[in-house]
PDB file of all heavy atoms in Angstrom:
ATOM      1  N   PRO D 349     -61.691  -0.620 -16.076  1.00  0.00           N
ATOM      2  CA  PRO D 349     -60.835  -0.231 -17.193  1.00  0.00           C
ATOM      3  C   PRO D 349     -61.282  -0.967 -18.454  1.00  0.00           C
ATOM      4  O   PRO D 349     -61.601  -2.148 -18.387  1.00  0.00           O
ATOM      5  CB  PRO D 349     -59.420  -0.683 -16.762  1.00  0.00           C
ATOM      6  CG  PRO D 349     -59.598  -1.574 -15.588  1.00  0.00           C
ATOM      7  CD  PRO D 349     -60.933  -1.272 -14.985  1.00  0.00           C
ATOM      8  N   LYS D 353     -65.033   4.388 -20.900  1.00  0.00           N
ATOM      9  CA  LYS D 353     -65.196   5.686 -20.230  1.00  0.00           C
ATOM     10  C   LYS D 353     -64.508   6.813 -21.017  1.00  0.00           C
ATOM     11  O   LYS D 353     -65.061   7.889 -21.162  1.00  0.00           O
ATOM     12  CB  LYS D 353     -64.612   5.639 -18.802  1.00  0.00           C
ATOM     13  CG  LYS D 353     -65.263   4.596 -17.898  1.00  0.00           C
ATOM     14  CD  LYS D 353     -64.829   4.758 -16.447  1.00  0.00           C
ATOM     15  CE  LYS D 353     -63.354   4.557 -16.213  1.00  0.00           C
ATOM     16  NZ  LYS D 353     -62.874   3.179 -16.534  1.00  0.00           N
ATOM     17  N   SER D 370     -59.747  13.145 -16.070  1.00  0.00           N
ATOM     18  CA  SER D 370     -59.375  11.736 -15.966  1.00  0.00           C
ATOM     19  C   SER D 370     -58.114  11.634 -15.131  1.00  0.00           C
ATOM     20  O   SER D 370     -57.063  12.171 -15.518  1.00  0.00           O
ATOM     21  CB  SER D 370     -59.125  11.169 -17.372  1.00  0.00           C
ATOM     22  OG  SER D 370     -58.188  10.105 -17.322  1.00  0.00           O
ATOM     23  N   THR D 371     -58.222  10.984 -13.974  1.00  0.00           N
ATOM     24  CA  THR D 371     -57.029  10.878 -13.117  1.00  0.00           C
ATOM     25  C   THR D 371     -55.948  10.042 -13.792  1.00  0.00           C
ATOM     26  O   THR D 371     -54.764  10.302 -13.612  1.00  0.00           O
ATOM     27  CB  THR D 371     -57.391  10.300 -11.726  1.00  0.00           C
ATOM     28  OG1 THR D 371     -58.339   9.249 -11.891  1.00  0.00           O
ATOM     29  CG2 THR D 371     -57.935  11.360 -10.809  1.00  0.00           C
ATOM     30  N   GLY D 372     -56.354   9.055 -14.612  1.00  0.00           N
ATOM     31  CA  GLY D 372     -55.368   8.264 -15.355  1.00  0.00           C
ATOM     32  C   GLY D 372     -54.564   9.161 -16.302  1.00  0.00           C
ATOM     33  O   GLY D 372     -53.330   9.108 -16.335  1.00  0.00           O
ATOM     34  N   ASP D 373     -55.274  10.020 -17.064  1.00  0.00           N
ATOM     35  CA  ASP D 373     -54.588  10.939 -17.991  1.00  0.00           C
ATOM     36  C   ASP D 373     -53.689  11.908 -17.219  1.00  0.00           C
ATOM     37  O   ASP D 373     -52.561  12.187 -17.629  1.00  0.00           O
ATOM     38  CB  ASP D 373     -55.613  11.772 -18.796  1.00  0.00           C
ATOM     39  CG  ASP D 373     -56.298  10.943 -19.880  1.00  0.00           C
ATOM     40  OD1 ASP D 373     -55.871   9.797 -20.128  1.00  0.00           O
ATOM     41  OD2 ASP D 373     -57.272  11.457 -20.469  1.00  0.00           O
ATOM     42  N   LEU D 375     -52.327  11.509 -14.314  1.00  0.00           N
ATOM     43  CA  LEU D 375     -51.157  10.792 -13.769  1.00  0.00           C
ATOM     44  C   LEU D 375     -50.143  10.486 -14.861  1.00  0.00           C
ATOM     45  O   LEU D 375     -48.937  10.657 -14.666  1.00  0.00           O
ATOM     46  CB  LEU D 375     -51.609   9.492 -13.088  1.00  0.00           C
ATOM     47  CG  LEU D 375     -52.289   9.659 -11.735  1.00  0.00           C
ATOM     48  CD1 LEU D 375     -52.988   8.365 -11.322  1.00  0.00           C
ATOM     49  CD2 LEU D 375     -51.288  10.066 -10.664  1.00  0.00           C
ATOM     50  N   ARG D 376     -50.630  10.052 -16.027  1.00  0.00           N
ATOM     51  CA  ARG D 376     -49.699   9.754 -17.129  1.00  0.00           C
ATOM     52  C   ARG D 376     -48.935  11.008 -17.539  1.00  0.00           C
ATOM     53  O   ARG D 376     -47.747  10.937 -17.851  1.00  0.00           O
ATOM     54  CB  ARG D 376     -50.447   9.133 -18.323  1.00  0.00           C
ATOM     55  CG  ARG D 376     -50.676   7.629 -18.152  1.00  0.00           C
ATOM     56  CD  ARG D 376     -51.311   7.002 -19.374  1.00  0.00           C
ATOM     57  NE  ARG D 376     -52.704   7.398 -19.550  1.00  0.00           N
ATOM     58  CZ  ARG D 376     -53.726   6.853 -18.892  1.00  0.00           C
ATOM     59  NH1 ARG D 376     -53.532   5.871 -18.045  1.00  0.00           N
ATOM     60  NH2 ARG D 376     -54.957   7.286 -19.097  1.00  0.00           N
ATOM     61  N   LEU D 392     -46.463   2.127  -9.165  1.00  0.00           N
ATOM     62  CA  LEU D 392     -47.778   1.552  -8.849  1.00  0.00           C
ATOM     63  C   LEU D 392     -48.596   1.374 -10.127  1.00  0.00           C
ATOM     64  O   LEU D 392     -49.236   0.338 -10.340  1.00  0.00           O
ATOM     65  CB  LEU D 392     -48.529   2.467  -7.876  1.00  0.00           C
ATOM     66  CG  LEU D 392     -47.903   2.536  -6.481  1.00  0.00           C
ATOM     67  CD1 LEU D 392     -48.404   3.756  -5.722  1.00  0.00           C
ATOM     68  CD2 LEU D 392     -48.230   1.261  -5.698  1.00  0.00           C
ATOM     69  N   MET D 393     -48.558   2.374 -10.996  1.00  0.00           N
ATOM     70  CA  MET D 393     -49.323   2.302 -12.245  1.00  0.00           C
ATOM     71  C   MET D 393     -48.825   1.161 -13.128  1.00  0.00           C
ATOM     72  O   MET D 393     -49.618   0.453 -13.733  1.00  0.00           O
ATOM     73  CB  MET D 393     -49.214   3.630 -13.009  1.00  0.00           C
ATOM     74  CG  MET D 393     -49.947   4.760 -12.320  1.00  0.00           C
ATOM     75  SD  MET D 393     -49.615   6.330 -13.106  1.00  0.00           S
ATOM     76  CE  MET D 393     -50.635   6.213 -14.573  1.00  0.00           C
ATOM     77  N   GLY D 396     -50.356  -1.913 -12.114  1.00  0.00           N
ATOM     78  CA  GLY D 396     -51.822  -1.962 -12.150  1.00  0.00           C
ATOM     79  C   GLY D 396     -52.451  -1.736 -10.789  1.00  0.00           C
ATOM     80  O   GLY D 396     -53.615  -2.051 -10.577  1.00  0.00           O
ATOM     81  N   LEU D 397     -51.661  -1.168  -9.855  1.00  0.00           N
ATOM     82  CA  LEU D 397     -52.191  -0.904  -8.509  1.00  0.00           C
ATOM     83  C   LEU D 397     -52.656   0.548  -8.411  1.00  0.00           C
ATOM     84  O   LEU D 397     -52.185   1.400  -9.178  1.00  0.00           O
ATOM     85  CB  LEU D 397     -51.104  -1.166  -7.464  1.00  0.00           C
ATOM     86  CG  LEU D 397     -50.556  -2.595  -7.438  1.00  0.00           C
ATOM     87  CD1 LEU D 397     -49.351  -2.690  -6.498  1.00  0.00           C
ATOM     88  CD2 LEU D 397     -51.648  -3.570  -7.003  1.00  0.00           C
ATOM     89  N   LEU D 398     -53.517   0.823  -7.460  1.00  0.00           N
ATOM     90  CA  LEU D 398     -54.006   2.191  -7.284  1.00  0.00           C
ATOM     91  C   LEU D 398     -52.922   3.052  -6.642  1.00  0.00           C
ATOM     92  O   LEU D 398     -52.185   2.586  -5.769  1.00  0.00           O
ATOM     93  CB  LEU D 398     -55.252   2.219  -6.393  1.00  0.00           C
ATOM     94  CG  LEU D 398     -56.492   1.498  -6.924  1.00  0.00           C
ATOM     95  CD1 LEU D 398     -57.682   1.728  -5.991  1.00  0.00           C
ATOM     96  CD2 LEU D 398     -56.840   1.957  -8.342  1.00  0.00           C
ATOM     97  N   VAL D 399     -52.831   4.303  -7.054  1.00  0.00           N
ATOM     98  CA  VAL D 399     -51.917   5.233  -6.390  1.00  0.00           C
ATOM     99  C   VAL D 399     -52.644   5.761  -5.144  1.00  0.00           C
ATOM    100  O   VAL D 399     -53.870   5.681  -5.054  1.00  0.00           O
ATOM    101  CB  VAL D 399     -51.466   6.380  -7.325  1.00  0.00           C
ATOM    102  CG1 VAL D 399     -50.883   5.851  -8.618  1.00  0.00           C
ATOM    103  CG2 VAL D 399     -52.599   7.327  -7.632  1.00  0.00           C
ATOM    104  N   PRO D 400     -51.894   6.278  -4.150  1.00  0.00           N
ATOM    105  CA  PRO D 400     -52.544   6.693  -2.907  1.00  0.00           C
ATOM    106  C   PRO D 400     -53.649   7.740  -3.113  1.00  0.00           C
ATOM    107  O   PRO D 400     -53.530   8.616  -3.972  1.00  0.00           O
ATOM    108  CB  PRO D 400     -51.386   7.280  -2.085  1.00  0.00           C
ATOM    109  CG  PRO D 400     -50.158   6.637  -2.638  1.00  0.00           C
ATOM    110  CD  PRO D 400     -50.434   6.431  -4.096  1.00  0.00           C
ATOM    111  N   ASP D 401     -54.692   7.622  -2.288  1.00  0.00           N
ATOM    112  CA  ASP D 401     -55.842   8.525  -2.392  1.00  0.00           C
ATOM    113  C   ASP D 401     -55.427   9.990  -2.392  1.00  0.00           C
ATOM    114  O   ASP D 401     -55.928  10.783  -3.193  1.00  0.00           O
ATOM    115  CB  ASP D 401     -56.801   8.280  -1.206  1.00  0.00           C
ATOM    116  CG  ASP D 401     -57.560   6.972  -1.341  1.00  0.00           C
ATOM    117  OD1 ASP D 401     -57.734   6.502  -2.483  1.00  0.00           O
ATOM    118  OD2 ASP D 401     -57.973   6.418  -0.302  1.00  0.00           O
ATOM    119  N   VAL D 404     -54.338  11.473  -5.858  1.00  0.00           N
ATOM    120  CA  VAL D 404     -55.374  11.756  -6.860  1.00  0.00           C
ATOM    121  C   VAL D 404     -56.357  12.814  -6.369  1.00  0.00           C
ATOM    122  O   VAL D 404     -56.812  13.660  -7.149  1.00  0.00           O
ATOM    123  CB  VAL D 404     -56.129  10.473  -7.309  1.00  0.00           C
ATOM    124  CG1 VAL D 404     -55.306   9.661  -8.262  1.00  0.00           C
ATOM    125  CG2 VAL D 404     -56.587   9.629  -6.172  1.00  0.00           C
ATOM    126  N   ASP D 424     -63.627  10.911 -14.655  1.00  0.00           N
ATOM    127  CA  ASP D 424     -63.411   9.659 -15.379  1.00  0.00           C
ATOM    128  C   ASP D 424     -62.268   8.896 -14.694  1.00  0.00           C
ATOM    129  O   ASP D 424     -61.147   9.392 -14.620  1.00  0.00           O
ATOM    130  CB  ASP D 424     -63.074  10.044 -16.845  1.00  0.00           C
ATOM    131  CG  ASP D 424     -62.444   8.925 -17.668  1.00  0.00           C
ATOM    132  OD1 ASP D 424     -62.329   7.793 -17.178  1.00  0.00           O
ATOM    133  OD2 ASP D 424     -62.065   9.208 -18.813  1.00  0.00           O
ATOM    134  N   GLY D 425     -62.591   7.727 -14.151  1.00  0.00           N
ATOM    135  CA  GLY D 425     -61.557   6.956 -13.439  1.00  0.00           C
ATOM    136  C   GLY D 425     -61.349   7.465 -12.022  1.00  0.00           C
ATOM    137  O   GLY D 425     -60.407   7.085 -11.343  1.00  0.00           O
ATOM    138  N   PHE D 426     -62.220   8.306 -11.566  1.00  0.00           N
ATOM    139  CA  PHE D 426     -62.201   8.882 -10.215  1.00  0.00           C
ATOM    140  C   PHE D 426     -63.638   9.139  -9.810  1.00  0.00           C
ATOM    141  O   PHE D 426     -64.384   9.680 -10.639  1.00  0.00           O
ATOM    142  CB  PHE D 426     -61.407  10.194 -10.222  1.00  0.00           C
ATOM    143  CG  PHE D 426     -61.381  10.893  -8.885  1.00  0.00           C
ATOM    144  CD1 PHE D 426     -60.362  10.635  -7.983  1.00  0.00           C
ATOM    145  CD2 PHE D 426     -62.377  11.793  -8.536  1.00  0.00           C
ATOM    146  CE1 PHE D 426     -60.338  11.268  -6.740  1.00  0.00           C
ATOM    147  CE2 PHE D 426     -62.366  12.419  -7.292  1.00  0.00           C
ATOM    148  CZ  PHE D 426     -61.331  12.156  -6.407  1.00  0.00           C
ATOM    149  N   PRO D 427     -64.087   8.828  -8.599  1.00  0.00           N
ATOM    150  CA  PRO D 427     -63.343   8.181  -7.517  1.00  0.00           C
ATOM    151  C   PRO D 427     -63.224   6.659  -7.711  1.00  0.00           C
ATOM    152  O   PRO D 427     -64.108   6.028  -8.265  1.00  0.00           O
ATOM    153  CB  PRO D 427     -64.196   8.503  -6.290  1.00  0.00           C
ATOM    154  CG  PRO D 427     -65.585   8.671  -6.807  1.00  0.00           C
ATOM    155  CD  PRO D 427     -65.447   9.214  -8.203  1.00  0.00           C
ATOM    156  N   ARG D 428     -62.129   6.116  -7.191  1.00  0.00           N
ATOM    157  CA  ARG D 428     -61.907   4.670  -7.279  1.00  0.00           C
ATOM    158  C   ARG D 428     -61.926   4.005  -5.914  1.00  0.00           C
ATOM    159  O   ARG D 428     -61.776   2.773  -5.836  1.00  0.00           O
ATOM    160  CB  ARG D 428     -60.546   4.414  -7.926  1.00  0.00           C
ATOM    161  CG  ARG D 428     -60.579   4.097  -9.429  1.00  0.00           C
ATOM    162  CD  ARG D 428     -59.159   4.070  -9.906  1.00  0.00           C
ATOM    163  NE  ARG D 428     -58.855   3.272 -11.040  1.00  0.00           N
ATOM    164  CZ  ARG D 428     -58.690   3.748 -12.275  1.00  0.00           C
ATOM    165  NH1 ARG D 428     -58.906   5.003 -12.535  1.00  0.00           N
ATOM    166  NH2 ARG D 428     -58.310   2.937 -13.235  1.00  0.00           N
ATOM    167  N   GLN D 432     -61.988   8.373  -1.743  1.00  0.00           N
ATOM    168  CA  GLN D 432     -61.978   9.354  -2.842  1.00  0.00           C
ATOM    169  C   GLN D 432     -63.385   9.907  -3.082  1.00  0.00           C
ATOM    170  O   GLN D 432     -63.563  11.099  -3.355  1.00  0.00           O
ATOM    171  CB  GLN D 432     -61.450   8.724  -4.132  1.00  0.00           C
ATOM    172  CG  GLN D 432     -59.964   8.398  -4.094  1.00  0.00           C
ATOM    173  CD  GLN D 432     -59.461   7.722  -5.363  1.00  0.00           C
ATOM    174  OE1 GLN D 432     -60.058   7.836  -6.435  1.00  0.00           O
ATOM    175  NE2 GLN D 432     -58.352   7.011  -5.257  1.00  0.00           N
ATOM    176  N   ARG D 467     -56.537  -2.341 -27.197  1.00  0.00           N
ATOM    177  CA  ARG D 467     -56.179  -0.921 -27.066  1.00  0.00           C
ATOM    178  C   ARG D 467     -54.669  -0.755 -26.908  1.00  0.00           C
ATOM    179  O   ARG D 467     -54.077   0.176 -27.423  1.00  0.00           O
ATOM    180  CB  ARG D 467     -56.910  -0.338 -25.840  1.00  0.00           C
ATOM    181  CG  ARG D 467     -56.631   1.124 -25.575  1.00  0.00           C
ATOM    182  CD  ARG D 467     -57.495   1.668 -24.455  1.00  0.00           C
ATOM    183  NE  ARG D 467     -57.066   1.224 -23.133  1.00  0.00           N
ATOM    184  CZ  ARG D 467     -57.720   1.470 -22.008  1.00  0.00           C
ATOM    185  NH1 ARG D 467     -58.859   2.137 -22.040  1.00  0.00           N
ATOM    186  NH2 ARG D 467     -57.264   1.052 -20.845  1.00  0.00           N
ATOM    187  N   ARG D 473     -49.571   1.984 -24.139  1.00  0.00           N
ATOM    188  CA  ARG D 473     -49.542   1.952 -22.668  1.00  0.00           C
ATOM    189  C   ARG D 473     -49.053   0.590 -22.189  1.00  0.00           C
ATOM    190  O   ARG D 473     -49.637  -0.434 -22.528  1.00  0.00           O
ATOM    191  CB  ARG D 473     -50.949   2.220 -22.120  1.00  0.00           C
ATOM    192  CG  ARG D 473     -51.285   3.677 -21.998  1.00  0.00           C
ATOM    193  CD  ARG D 473     -52.712   3.884 -21.537  1.00  0.00           C
ATOM    194  NE  ARG D 473     -53.010   3.262 -20.247  1.00  0.00           N
ATOM    195  CZ  ARG D 473     -54.169   3.373 -19.635  1.00  0.00           C
ATOM    196  NH1 ARG D 473     -55.143   4.065 -20.184  1.00  0.00           N
ATOM    197  NH2 ARG D 473     -54.364   2.784 -18.472  1.00  0.00           N
ATOM    198  N   ASP D 475     -49.302  -0.692 -19.306  1.00  0.00           N
ATOM    199  CA  ASP D 475     -50.287  -1.403 -18.473  1.00  0.00           C
ATOM    200  C   ASP D 475     -51.452  -1.967 -19.289  1.00  0.00           C
ATOM    201  O   ASP D 475     -52.331  -2.631 -18.752  1.00  0.00           O
ATOM    202  CB  ASP D 475     -50.788  -0.518 -17.310  1.00  0.00           C
ATOM    203  CG  ASP D 475     -51.492   0.741 -17.766  1.00  0.00           C
ATOM    204  OD1 ASP D 475     -51.365   1.112 -18.958  1.00  0.00           O
ATOM    205  OD2 ASP D 475     -52.172   1.359 -16.931  1.00  0.00           O
ATOM    206  N   ARG D 485     -55.543  -5.449 -13.118  1.00  0.00           N
ATOM    207  CA  ARG D 485     -56.245  -4.159 -13.029  1.00  0.00           C
ATOM    208  C   ARG D 485     -57.744  -4.368 -12.913  1.00  0.00           C
ATOM    209  O   ARG D 485     -58.435  -3.680 -12.160  1.00  0.00           O
ATOM    210  CB  ARG D 485     -55.934  -3.306 -14.257  1.00  0.00           C
ATOM    211  CG  ARG D 485     -54.579  -2.645 -14.146  1.00  0.00           C
ATOM    212  CD  ARG D 485     -54.124  -2.099 -15.473  1.00  0.00           C
ATOM    213  NE  ARG D 485     -54.961  -1.039 -15.987  1.00  0.00           N
ATOM    214  CZ  ARG D 485     -55.080  -0.750 -17.289  1.00  0.00           C
ATOM    215  NH1 ARG D 485     -54.424  -1.435 -18.185  1.00  0.00           N
ATOM    216  NH2 ARG D 485     -55.838   0.244 -17.671  1.00  0.00           N
TER     217      ARG D 485
HETATM  218  P1  LIG W 912     -56.826   4.616 -16.018  1.00  0.00           P
HETATM  219  O1  LIG W 912     -56.276   5.376 -17.169  1.00  0.00           O
HETATM  220  O2  LIG W 912     -58.021   5.271 -15.391  1.00  0.00           O
HETATM  221  O3  LIG W 912     -57.063   3.164 -16.324  1.00  0.00           O
HETATM  222  O4  LIG W 912     -55.688   4.641 -14.877  1.00  0.00           O
HETATM  223  C1  LIG W 912     -54.409   4.101 -15.089  1.00  0.00           C
HETATM  224  C2  LIG W 912     -53.732   3.850 -13.753  1.00  0.00           C
HETATM  225  O5  LIG W 912     -53.590   5.085 -13.037  1.00  0.00           O
HETATM  226  C3  LIG W 912     -54.499   2.939 -12.796  1.00  0.00           C
HETATM  227  O6  LIG W 912     -54.247   1.569 -13.041  1.00  0.00           O
HETATM  228  C4  LIG W 912     -53.956   3.394 -11.439  1.00  0.00           C
HETATM  229  O7  LIG W 912     -52.648   2.885 -11.227  1.00  0.00           O
HETATM  230  C5  LIG W 912     -53.825   4.892 -11.650  1.00  0.00           C
HETATM  231  N1  LIG W 912     -55.068   5.638 -11.292  1.00  0.00           N
HETATM  232  C6  LIG W 912     -55.876   6.321 -12.135  1.00  0.00           C
HETATM  233  N2  LIG W 912     -56.887   6.882 -11.477  1.00  0.00           N
HETATM  234  C7  LIG W 912     -56.736   6.551 -10.178  1.00  0.00           C
HETATM  235  C8  LIG W 912     -57.491   6.805  -8.999  1.00  0.00           C
HETATM  236  N3  LIG W 912     -58.619   7.540  -9.020  1.00  0.00           N
HETATM  237  N4  LIG W 912     -57.022   6.290  -7.829  1.00  0.00           N
HETATM  238  C9  LIG W 912     -55.890   5.563  -7.774  1.00  0.00           C
HETATM  239  N5  LIG W 912     -55.142   5.262  -8.849  1.00  0.00           N
HETATM  240  C10 LIG W 912     -55.566   5.749 -10.049  1.00  0.00           C
END
Side-chain angles (χ1 to χ4, degrees):
K353 300 190 297 297
S370 152
T371 40
D373 286 351
L375 286 166
R376 278 185 289 279
L392 292 162
M393 291 172 76
L397 300 172
L398 297 185
V399 306
D401 287 335
V404 283
D424 164 5
F426 178 91
R428 262 172 153 101
Q432 291 178 22
R467 180 174 75 186
R473 275 176 59 177
D475 61 345
R485 281 166 64 206

